[in-house]
Coordinates of all heavy atoms in Angstrom, one line a residue:
M1 N 9.3 13.1 14.9 CA 9.2 12.5 13.6 C 7.7 12.4 13.2 O 6.9 11.9 14.0 CB 9.9 11.1 13.5 CG 9.9 10.5 12.2 SD 10.7 8.9 12.1 CE 12.4 9.3 12.6
S2 N 7.3 12.8 12.0 CA 5.9 12.7 11.6 C 5.5 11.3 11.3 O 6.4 10.4 11.1 CB 5.7 13.6 10.4 OG 6.3 13.1 9.3
R3 N 4.2 11.1 11.2 CA 3.8 9.7 10.8 C 4.3 9.3 9.4 O 4.6 8.1 9.2 CB 2.2 9.7 10.8 CG 1.7 9.7 12.2 CD 0.2 9.6 12.1 NE -0.3 8.8 13.3 CZ -1.5 8.4 13.5 NH1 -2.4 8.7 12.6 NH2 -1.8 7.7 14.5
E4 N 4.3 10.3 8.5 CA 4.8 10.0 7.1 C 6.2 9.5 7.2 O 6.6 8.6 6.5 CB 4.6 11.2 6.2 CG 3.1 11.5 5.9 CD 2.4 12.3 7.0 OE1 3.1 12.8 7.9 OE2 1.2 12.5 6.8
E5 N 7.0 10.3 8.0 CA 8.4 9.9 8.1 C 8.6 8.6 8.7 O 9.5 7.8 8.3 CB 9.2 11.0 8.9 CG 9.3 12.3 8.1 CD 9.8 13.4 9.0 OE1 9.6 13.4 10.3 OE2 10.5 14.3 8.5
E6 N 7.8 8.3 9.8 CA 7.9 7.0 10.4 C 7.5 5.8 9.4 O 8.2 4.8 9.4 CB 6.9 6.9 11.6 CG 7.4 7.8 12.8 CD 6.3 7.8 13.9 OE1 5.4 7.0 13.9 OE2 6.5 8.6 14.8
L7 N 6.5 6.0 8.6 CA 6.1 5.0 7.7 C 7.2 4.8 6.6 O 7.6 3.7 6.3 CB 4.8 5.3 7.0 CG 4.3 4.3 5.9 CD1 4.1 3.0 6.5 CD2 3.0 4.8 5.3
F8 N 7.8 5.9 6.1 CA 8.9 5.8 5.2 C 10.1 5.0 5.8 O 10.6 4.2 5.1 CB 9.3 7.2 4.7 CG 10.4 7.1 3.6 CD1 10.1 6.8 2.3 CD2 11.7 7.4 4.0 CE1 11.1 6.8 1.4 CE2 12.7 7.4 3.0 CZ 12.4 7.1 1.7
K9 N 10.4 5.4 7.0 CA 11.5 4.7 7.7 C 11.2 3.2 7.8 O 12.1 2.4 7.6 CB 11.8 5.4 9.0 CG 13.0 4.8 9.8 CD 13.2 5.5 11.1 CE 14.3 4.8 11.8 NZ 14.5 5.4 13.2
F10 N 10.0 2.9 8.2 CA 9.6 1.5 8.4 C 9.7 0.7 7.1 O 10.3 -0.4 7.1 CB 8.2 1.4 8.9 CG 7.6 0.1 9.1 CD1 8.0 -0.7 10.2 CD2 6.8 -0.5 8.1 CE1 7.5 -2.0 10.4 CE2 6.3 -1.7 8.3 CZ 6.6 -2.5 9.4
I11 N 9.3 1.3 6.0 CA 9.3 0.7 4.7 C 10.8 0.4 4.3 O 11.2 -0.6 3.9 CB 8.6 1.5 3.6 CG1 7.1 1.5 3.9 CG2 8.9 1.0 2.2 CD1 6.3 2.5 3.1
R12 N 11.6 1.4 4.5 CA 13.0 1.3 4.1 C 13.8 0.3 5.0 O 14.5 -0.5 4.4 CB 13.8 2.7 4.3 CG 13.5 3.7 3.2 CD 14.0 3.1 2.0 NE 14.4 4.2 1.1 CZ 14.7 4.1 -0.1 NH1 14.7 2.9 -0.7 NH2 15.1 5.1 -0.8
E13 N 13.5 0.3 6.3 CA 14.2 -0.6 7.2 C 13.9 -2.1 6.9 O 14.7 -3.0 7.0 CB 13.9 -0.3 8.6 CG 14.6 0.9 9.1 CD 14.3 1.3 10.5 OE1 13.4 0.7 11.1 OE2 14.9 2.2 11.1
H14 N 12.6 -2.3 6.5 CA 12.2 -3.7 6.3 C 12.1 -4.1 4.9 O 11.6 -5.2 4.6 CB 10.8 -3.8 7.0 CG 10.9 -3.6 8.5 ND1 11.4 -4.6 9.3 CD2 10.6 -2.6 9.3 CE1 11.4 -4.1 10.6 NE2 10.9 -2.9 10.6
H15 N 12.6 -3.3 4.0 CA 12.7 -3.6 2.6 C 11.3 -3.9 2.0 O 11.1 -4.8 1.2 CB 13.7 -4.7 2.3 CG 15.0 -4.4 2.8 ND1 15.8 -3.4 2.2 CD2 15.7 -4.8 3.9 CE1 17.0 -3.3 2.9 NE2 16.9 -4.2 3.9
L16 N 10.3 -3.2 2.5 CA 8.9 -3.5 2.0 C 8.8 -2.8 0.7 O 9.5 -1.9 0.3 CB 7.9 -3.0 3.0 CG 7.9 -3.6 4.4 CD1 6.9 -2.9 5.3 CD2 7.7 -5.1 4.3
G17 N 7.8 -3.2 -0.1 CA 7.5 -2.5 -1.3 C 7.5 -3.5 -2.5 O 7.3 -3.1 -3.6
H18 N 7.8 -4.7 -2.3 CA 7.9 -5.7 -3.4 C 6.7 -6.6 -3.3 O 6.8 -7.8 -3.5 CB 9.2 -6.5 -3.3 CG 10.4 -5.6 -3.4 ND1 10.8 -4.9 -4.5 CD2 11.2 -5.2 -2.4 CE1 11.8 -4.2 -4.3 NE2 12.1 -4.3 -3.0
G19 N 5.5 -6.1 -3.0 CA 4.3 -6.9 -2.9 C 4.0 -7.3 -1.5 O 3.4 -8.3 -1.3
E20 N 4.4 -6.5 -0.5 CA 4.1 -6.8 0.9 C 2.7 -6.3 1.3 O 2.3 -5.3 0.9 CB 5.2 -6.1 1.8 CG 6.6 -6.5 1.5 CD 6.9 -7.9 2.0 OE1 6.2 -8.4 2.9 OE2 7.8 -8.5 1.5
T21 N 2.1 -7.1 2.1 CA 0.8 -6.8 2.6 C 0.9 -6.7 4.1 O 1.3 -7.6 4.8 CB -0.3 -7.8 2.2 OG1 -0.4 -7.9 0.8 CG2 -1.7 -7.4 2.7
L22 N 0.4 -5.6 4.6 CA 0.4 -5.3 6.1 C -1.0 -5.2 6.6 O -1.9 -4.8 5.8 CB 1.2 -4.1 6.4 CG 2.6 -3.9 5.8 CD1 3.1 -2.5 6.0 CD2 3.5 -4.9 6.5
S23 N -1.3 -5.5 7.8 CA -2.6 -5.2 8.3 C -2.5 -4.4 9.6 O -1.5 -4.5 10.4 CB -3.3 -6.5 8.7 OG -2.7 -7.2 9.7
F24 N -3.5 -3.5 9.7 CA -3.6 -2.6 10.9 C -5.0 -2.6 11.4 O -5.9 -2.8 10.7 CB -3.2 -1.1 10.4 CG -1.8 -1.0 9.9 CD1 -1.6 -1.1 8.5 CD2 -0.8 -0.7 10.7 CE1 -0.3 -0.9 8.0 CE2 0.5 -0.6 10.2 CZ 0.7 -0.7 8.8
K25 N -5.1 -2.2 12.7 CA -6.4 -2.0 13.2 C -6.7 -0.5 13.1 O -5.9 0.4 13.4 CB -6.4 -2.3 14.7 CG -6.3 -3.8 15.0 CD -7.6 -4.5 14.8 CE -7.4 -6.0 15.2 NZ -8.5 -6.8 14.9
C26 N -7.9 -0.2 12.6 CA -8.3 1.2 12.4 C -8.4 1.8 13.8 O -9.0 1.2 14.7 CB -9.7 1.3 11.7 SG -10.4 2.9 11.7
P27 N -7.8 3.0 14.0 CA -7.8 3.6 15.3 C -9.2 4.1 15.7 O -9.4 4.3 16.9 CB -6.8 4.8 15.2 CG -6.7 5.0 13.7 CD -7.0 3.7 13.0
H28 N -10.1 4.2 14.7 CA -11.4 4.8 15.0 C -12.4 3.7 15.3 O -13.2 3.8 16.2 CB -11.9 5.6 13.9 CG -11.0 6.8 13.6 ND1 -10.8 7.8 14.4 CD2 -10.1 6.9 12.5 CE1 -9.9 8.7 13.9 NE2 -9.5 8.1 12.7
C29 N -12.4 2.6 14.5 CA -13.4 1.6 14.7 C -12.9 0.2 15.0 O -13.6 -0.8 15.2 CB -14.3 1.5 13.4 SG -13.4 0.8 12.0
S30 N -11.6 0.0 15.1 CA -10.9 -1.2 15.4 C -11.0 -2.3 14.4 O -10.7 -3.4 14.6 CB -11.3 -1.7 16.8 OG -10.9 -0.8 17.8
K31 N -11.6 -2.0 13.2 CA -11.7 -3.0 12.1 C -10.3 -3.2 11.5 O -9.5 -2.2 11.5 CB -12.7 -2.6 11.1 CG -14.1 -2.7 11.5 CD -15.0 -2.4 10.4 CE -16.5 -2.4 10.9 NZ -17.4 -2.1 9.8
E32 N -10.0 -4.3 10.9 CA -8.8 -4.6 10.3 C -8.7 -3.9 8.9 O -9.7 -4.0 8.2 CB -8.5 -6.1 10.1 CG -7.2 -6.4 9.5 CD -6.9 -7.9 9.4 OE1 -7.8 -8.6 8.9 OE2 -5.8 -8.3 9.9
V33 N -7.6 -3.3 8.6 CA -7.4 -2.6 7.3 C -6.1 -3.2 6.7 O -5.1 -3.3 7.4 CB -7.2 -1.1 7.5 CG1 -6.9 -0.4 6.2 CG2 -8.5 -0.5 8.1
L34 N -6.2 -3.7 5.5 CA -5.1 -4.2 4.8 C -4.4 -3.1 4.0 O -5.1 -2.3 3.3 CB -5.5 -5.4 3.9 CG -6.1 -6.6 4.6 CD1 -6.5 -7.6 3.6 CD2 -5.1 -7.2 5.6
V35 N -3.1 -3.1 4.0 CA -2.3 -2.1 3.1 C -1.3 -2.9 2.3 O -0.6 -3.7 2.9 CB -1.6 -1.1 4.0 CG1 -0.8 -0.1 3.2 CG2 -2.6 -0.3 4.9
E36 N -1.4 -2.8 1.0 CA -0.5 -3.5 0.2 C 0.5 -2.5 -0.4 O 0.1 -1.5 -1.0 CB -1.2 -4.2 -0.9 CG -0.2 -5.1 -1.8 CD -1.0 -5.9 -2.8 OE1 -1.5 -7.0 -2.4 OE2 -1.0 -5.5 -4.0
L37 N 1.8 -2.8 -0.3 CA 2.8 -1.9 -0.9 C 3.5 -2.7 -2.0 O 3.9 -3.9 -1.8 CB 3.9 -1.6 0.2 CG 3.3 -1.0 1.5 CD1 4.4 -1.0 2.6 CD2 2.7 0.4 1.2
K38 N 3.7 -2.0 -3.1 CA 4.4 -2.7 -4.3 C 5.2 -1.7 -5.0 O 4.8 -0.6 -5.4 CB 3.3 -3.2 -5.2 CG 3.9 -4.0 -6.4 CD 2.8 -4.5 -7.3 CE 3.4 -5.2 -8.4 NZ 2.4 -5.6 -9.4
A39 N 6.5 -2.0 -5.2 CA 7.4 -1.1 -5.9 C 7.1 -1.1 -7.4 O 6.6 -2.1 -7.9 CB 8.9 -1.7 -5.7
L40 N 7.2 0.1 -7.9 CA 7.0 0.2 -9.4 C 8.1 -0.5 -10.1 O 9.2 -0.5 -9.7 CB 6.9 1.7 -9.8 CG 5.8 2.5 -9.2 CD1 5.9 4.0 -9.6 CD2 4.5 2.0 -9.6
E41 N 7.7 -1.1 -11.3 CA 8.6 -1.8 -12.1 C 9.8 -1.0 -12.5 O 11.0 -1.4 -12.4 CB 7.9 -2.5 -13.2 CG 7.0 -3.6 -12.9 CD 6.3 -4.2 -14.1 OE1 6.8 -4.1 -15.2 OE2 5.2 -4.7 -13.9
G42 N 9.6 0.2 -13.0 CA 10.6 1.0 -13.6 C 11.4 1.8 -12.5 O 12.5 2.3 -12.8
D43 N 10.9 1.9 -11.3 CA 11.5 2.8 -10.3 C 11.3 2.2 -8.9 O 10.2 2.4 -8.3 CB 11.0 4.2 -10.4 CG 11.7 5.1 -9.5 OD1 12.6 4.7 -8.7 OD2 11.4 6.4 -9.5
P44 N 12.2 1.3 -8.4 CA 11.9 0.7 -7.1 C 11.9 1.6 -5.9 O 11.4 1.2 -4.9 CB 13.1 -0.3 -7.0 CG 14.2 0.3 -7.9 CD 13.4 1.0 -9.0
D45 N 12.2 2.9 -6.1 CA 12.1 3.8 -5.0 C 10.7 4.4 -4.9 O 10.3 5.1 -4.0 CB 13.1 5.0 -5.2 CG 14.5 4.5 -4.8 OD1 14.7 3.5 -4.1 OD2 15.5 5.1 -5.4
M46 N 9.9 4.2 -6.0 CA 8.5 4.6 -6.0 C 7.6 3.4 -5.6 O 7.8 2.3 -6.1 CB 8.1 5.1 -7.3 CG 8.8 6.4 -7.7 SD 8.4 7.8 -6.7 CE 6.7 8.1 -7.3
I47 N 6.6 3.6 -4.7 CA 5.8 2.5 -4.2 C 4.3 2.9 -4.4 O 3.9 3.9 -4.1 CB 6.1 2.3 -2.7 CG1 7.5 1.8 -2.5 CG2 5.1 1.2 -2.2 CD1 7.9 1.7 -1.1
E48 N 3.6 1.9 -5.0 CA 2.2 2.0 -5.1 C 1.6 1.5 -3.8 O 2.1 0.5 -3.2 CB 1.6 1.1 -6.2 CG 2.0 1.5 -7.6 CD 1.5 0.5 -8.6 OE1 1.7 -0.7 -8.5 OE2 0.8 1.0 -9.6
V49 N 0.6 2.2 -3.3 CA -0.1 1.8 -2.1 C -1.6 1.6 -2.3 O -2.2 2.5 -2.9 CB 0.1 2.9 -1.0 CG1 -0.6 2.5 0.3 CG2 1.6 3.1 -0.7
Y50 N -2.1 0.4 -1.9 CA -3.5 0.1 -2.0 C -4.0 -0.3 -0.7 O -3.2 -1.0 0.0 CB -3.8 -1.0 -3.1 CG -3.4 -0.6 -4.5 CD1 -2.1 -1.0 -5.0 CD2 -4.3 0.1 -5.3 CE1 -1.8 -0.6 -6.3 CE2 -3.9 0.4 -6.6 CZ -2.7 0.1 -7.0 OH -2.3 0.4 -8.3
W51 N -5.2 0.0 -0.3 CA -5.7 -0.4 1.0 C -7.2 -0.8 0.8 O -7.8 -0.3 -0.1 CB -5.5 0.6 2.1 CG -6.3 1.9 1.9 CD1 -7.6 2.2 2.2 CD2 -5.8 3.1 1.2 NE1 -7.9 3.4 1.9 CE2 -6.8 4.0 1.2 CE3 -4.6 3.4 0.6 CZ2 -6.7 5.3 0.7 CZ3 -4.5 4.7 0.1 CH2 -5.5 5.6 0.1
G52 N -7.6 -1.6 1.7 CA -9.0 -2.1 1.7 C -9.3 -3.0 2.9 O -8.4 -3.2 3.8
K53 N -10.5 -3.6 2.9 CA -10.9 -4.4 3.9 C -10.5 -5.9 3.7 O -10.6 -6.7 4.6 CB -12.4 -4.3 4.1 CG -12.8 -2.9 4.6 CD -14.3 -2.8 4.6 CE -14.7 -1.3 4.8 NZ -16.1 -1.1 4.4
S54 N -10.2 -6.2 2.4 CA -9.9 -7.6 2.1 C -8.9 -7.6 0.9 O -8.8 -6.6 0.1 CB -11.2 -8.4 1.7 OG -11.7 -7.9 0.5
P55 N -8.2 -8.7 0.7 CA -7.3 -8.8 -0.5 C -8.1 -8.6 -1.8 O -7.6 -8.1 -2.8 CB -6.8 -10.2 -0.4 CG -6.8 -10.6 1.1 CD -8.1 -9.9 1.6
E56 N -9.4 -9.1 -1.8 CA -10.2 -9.0 -3.1 C -10.5 -7.5 -3.4 O -10.4 -7.1 -4.5 CB -11.5 -9.7 -2.9 CG -11.3 -11.2 -2.8 CD -10.9 -11.7 -1.4 OE1 -11.0 -11.0 -0.4 OE2 -10.5 -12.9 -1.4
E57 N -10.8 -6.7 -2.3 CA -11.0 -5.3 -2.5 C -9.8 -4.6 -3.0 O -9.8 -3.7 -3.9 CB -11.5 -4.6 -1.2 CG -11.8 -3.2 -1.4 CD -12.3 -2.5 -0.1 OE1 -12.5 -3.2 1.0 OE2 -12.6 -1.3 -0.1
I58 N -8.6 -4.9 -2.5 CA -7.4 -4.4 -2.9 C -7.1 -4.7 -4.4 O -6.7 -3.8 -5.2 CB -6.2 -4.8 -2.1 CG1 -6.3 -4.2 -0.7 CG2 -4.8 -4.5 -2.7 CD1 -5.3 -4.8 0.3
E59 N -7.3 -6.0 -4.8 CA -7.1 -6.4 -6.2 C -8.1 -5.6 -7.1 O -7.7 -5.2 -8.2 CB -7.4 -7.9 -6.3 CG -7.1 -8.4 -7.7 CD -5.6 -8.3 -8.1 OE1 -4.7 -8.2 -7.3 OE2 -5.4 -8.2 -9.3
D60 N -9.3 -5.4 -6.7 CA -10.3 -4.6 -7.5 C -9.8 -3.2 -7.7 O -9.9 -2.7 -8.8 CB -11.7 -4.6 -6.9 CG -12.4 -6.0 -7.0 OD1 -11.9 -6.8 -7.8 OD2 -13.3 -6.2 -6.2
K61 N -9.3 -2.6 -6.7 CA -8.8 -1.2 -6.7 C -7.6 -1.2 -7.7 O -7.4 -0.2 -8.4 CB -8.4 -0.7 -5.3 CG -9.6 -0.4 -4.5 CD -9.2 0.1 -3.1 CE -10.4 0.5 -2.3 NZ -10.0 1.0 -1.0
R62 N -6.7 -2.2 -7.6 CA -5.5 -2.2 -8.5 C -5.9 -2.3 -9.9 O -5.4 -1.6 -10.8 CB -4.6 -3.3 -8.1 CG -3.3 -3.3 -9.0 CD -2.3 -4.4 -8.8 NE -1.9 -4.5 -7.4 CZ -2.2 -5.6 -6.6 NH1 -2.9 -6.6 -7.1 NH2 -1.8 -5.6 -5.4
K63 N -6.8 -3.2 -10.2 CA -7.3 -3.4 -11.6 C -7.9 -2.1 -12.1 O -7.7 -1.7 -13.3 CB -8.3 -4.5 -11.7 CG -7.6 -5.9 -11.6 CD -8.6 -7.0 -11.6 CE -7.9 -8.4 -11.5 NZ -8.9 -9.5 -11.5
K64 N -8.7 -1.4 -11.3 CA -9.4 -0.2 -11.7 C -8.3 0.9 -12.0 O -8.4 1.6 -13.0 CB -10.3 0.3 -10.6 CG -11.1 1.5 -11.0 CD -12.0 1.9 -9.8 CE -12.7 3.2 -10.2 NZ -13.6 3.7 -9.1
A65 N -7.3 1.0 -11.1 CA -6.3 2.0 -11.3 C -5.5 1.7 -12.6 O -5.1 2.6 -13.4 CB -5.3 2.0 -10.1
E66 N -5.2 0.4 -12.9 CA -4.5 0.0 -14.1 C -5.3 0.3 -15.3 O -4.7 0.8 -16.3 CB -4.1 -1.5 -14.0 CG -3.0 -1.8 -13.1 CD -2.8 -3.3 -12.9 OE1 -3.5 -4.1 -13.5 OE2 -1.9 -3.6 -12.1
K67 N -6.6 0.1 -15.3 CA -7.4 0.4 -16.4 C -7.5 1.9 -16.7 O -7.4 2.3 -17.8 CB -8.8 -0.2 -16.2 CG -9.8 0.1 -17.4 CD -11.1 -0.7 -17.2 CE -12.1 -0.5 -18.3 NZ -11.8 0.3 -19.4
E68 N -7.6 2.7 -15.6 CA -7.6 4.1 -15.8 C -6.3 4.6 -16.3 O -6.3 5.5 -17.2 CB -7.9 4.8 -14.4 CG -9.4 4.6 -13.9 CD -9.6 5.2 -12.6 OE1 -8.7 5.7 -11.9 OE2 -10.8 5.1 -12.1
A69 N -5.2 4.0 -15.9 CA -3.9 4.5 -16.5 C -3.8 4.1 -17.9 O -3.2 4.9 -18.7 CB -2.8 3.8 -15.7
E70 N -4.3 3.0 -18.4 CA -4.3 2.6 -19.8 C -5.2 3.6 -20.6 O -4.8 3.8 -21.8 CB -4.8 1.2 -19.9 CG -3.9 0.1 -19.4 CD -4.5 -1.3 -19.5 OE1 -5.6 -1.4 -20.0 OE2 -3.8 -2.2 -19.1
D71 N -6.3 4.0 -20.1 CA -7.2 4.9 -20.8 C -6.7 6.3 -21.0 O -7.2 7.1 -21.8 CB -8.6 4.9 -20.1 CG -9.3 3.6 -20.1 OD1 -8.9 2.7 -21.0 OD2 -10.2 3.4 -19.3
I72 N -5.6 6.7 -20.3 CA -5.1 8.0 -20.4 C -4.2 8.2 -21.6 O -3.5 7.4 -22.1 CB -4.3 8.4 -19.1 CG1 -5.3 8.5 -17.9 CG2 -3.6 9.7 -19.3 CD1 -4.7 8.8 -16.6

């Protein structure tokens, strides 16, 4: 099973995607990486994924993506 399939299975089994935040150790530098999963409002089978070094960085990335989507 590929890494992508493993992640998808993990998300499905644990019902993640409704604003869940997970943390992982980077396999290269061992720093903590945060990954936030959030289901889209109109389609709960689609998940937005944001990652960063802190919750603040993730929030900044989300706001930037929302602004870019509004500008389109």
Side-chain angles (χ1 to χ4, degrees):
M1 182 179 298
S2 72
R3 287 183 145 185
E4 290 83 7
E5 290 170 328
E6 288 175 13
L7 178 59
F8 182 76
K9 182 178 177 187
F10 178 79
I11 290 168
R12 284 294 211 191
E13 287 176 353
H14 296 283
H15 304 288
L16 299 177
H18 302 287
E20 298 288 337
T21 302
L22 309 168
S23 65
F24 299 94
K25 294 282 185 183
C26 173
H28 303 288
C29 67
S30 297
K31 290 184 181 179
E32 184 176 50
V33 176
L34 298 177
V35 177
E36 184 175 282
L37 306 171
K38 183 178 178 188
L40 296 177
E41 291 179 24
D43 187 355
D45 287 334
M46 296 292 290
I47 297 175
E48 291 179 309
V49 179
Y50 296 94
W51 64 87
K53 298 174 189 162
S54 69
E56 293 81 15
E57 183 179 357
I58 291 172
E59 184 63 26
D60 289 344
K61 287 180 179 182
R62 181 184 307 114
K63 286 180 181 178
K64 182 179 178 182
E66 288 173 357
K67 183 170 178 2
E68 288 176 1
E70 288 175 2
D71 292 343
I72 293 177

